[in-house]
Amino acid sequence: MKKEEMIHKRMNDINTFQAHENEVYLRGTDEYGQEFQICFDSYDFLEWIDKEQIEYIKEQLTKYIKTK
């Protein structure tokens, strides 16, 4: 059985955010300048991106900025 390869993309520029019904959309450009969009289930998105996660992201970004 062949192992599925994970898709790995980098969203370099987020230019659109939309929440509609039970979906959250982020749209932007990838590492090659090509447009792409990712869609999340709204409930799952809110369950994962809570206050603690936001604080963790801020802490990691602050560490990164201080090393540059």
Side-chain angles (χ1 to χ4, degrees):
M1 179 177 219
K2 185 178 177 184
K3 184 178 177 183
E4 298 264 338
E5 188 173 323
M6 184 181 354
I7 297 170
H8 184 234
K9 294 207 60 85
R10 184 181 198 292
M11 188 173 280
N12 285 351
D13 174 43
I14 299 172
N15 56 39
T16 305
F17 166 83
Q18 179 182 1
H20 180 69
E21 294 180 356
N22 187 37
E23 296 177 327
V24 172
Y25 300 89
L26 294 177
R27 184 173 182 162
T29 56
D30 68 8
E31 62 272 33
Y32 305 109
Q34 300 294 312
E35 290 277 333
F36 83 102
Q37 176 173 284
I38 186 166
C39 178
F40 301 93
D41 174 275
S42 294
Y43 181 82
D44 288 340
F45 187 83
L46 290 174
E47 186 174 58
W48 276 92
I49 305 299
D50 60 12
K51 187 176 180 177
E52 289 177 10
Q53 296 297 334
I54 296 294
E55 288 303 315
Y56 176 74
I57 292 168
K58 287 179 182 179
E59 288 171 12
Q60 295 305 308
L61 179 58
T62 300
K63 287 179 188 176
Y64 172 77
I65 291 170
K66 287 181 178 179
T67 64
K68 295 294 168 190

